[in-house]
Amino acid sequence: QVQLVESGGGSVQAGGSLRLSCAASGYTYSDYWMGWFRQAPGKGREGVAVIGLSGLTTYLDSVKGRFTISRDNAKNTLYLQMSSLEPEDTGTYYCAASQPPKGRGRGIDDFVRSPSLANYWGQGTQVTVSP
């Protein structure tokens, strides 16, 4: 049974920091791209950051330089370090896993742009940033 369990969300003031974690189980974690997505009230789900199998990363433009995604394959855990948080970062944050295609084709940039490419999703953790 596949499980992705997020933790670390909370309420902070603008300029503050949070570290999200996502514990994965039930599949071969190291064989999947991993990503963080978020959804604000009344908006669609958007990709925030994705990390590939070798550690290559890609980010939403608005979080570049403020957020850092990382993965620990020994612990089957994904992280998102968020700094200099802004009210616009408020939303429910989800971790997701996507199986890379065999051979050439899609890259991690495709995954961050297309949540539909995810094979598995977590239940989400709320992040609220006040002005």
Side-chain angles (χ1 to χ4, degrees), residues 45-109:
R45 194 167 296 190
E46 66 175 353
V48 174
V50 167
I51 185 166
L53 305 187
S54 62
L56 188 66
T57 59
T58 189
Y59 295 91
L60 180 69
D61 283 347
S62 64
V63 308
K64 285 179 181 176
R66 301 189 296 121
F67 290 10
T68 302
I69 187 172
S70 60
R71 65 190 298 165
D72 186 333
N73 287 347
K75 296 182 178 179
N76 286 4
T77 302
L78 178 71
Y79 303 100
L80 185 68
Q81 178 67 49
M82 304 186 293
S83 303
S84 302
L85 282 161
E86 304 169 353
E88 292 75 21
D89 296 317
T90 293
T92 303
Y93 282 68
Y94 301 87
C95 73
S98 178
Q99 189 168 36
K102 290 180 169 52
R104 294 181 179 274
R106 291 182 282 106
I108 57 172
D109 286 337

Side-chain angles (χ1 to χ4, degrees), residues 27-50:
Y27 68 104
T28 307
Y29 175 80
S30 58
D31 287 349
Y32 281 69
W33 297 335
M34 295 298 299
W36 288 99
F37 296 76
R38 69 187 180 190
Q39 189 164 16
K43 295 189 176 182
R45 194 167 296 190
E46 66 175 353
V48 174
V50 167

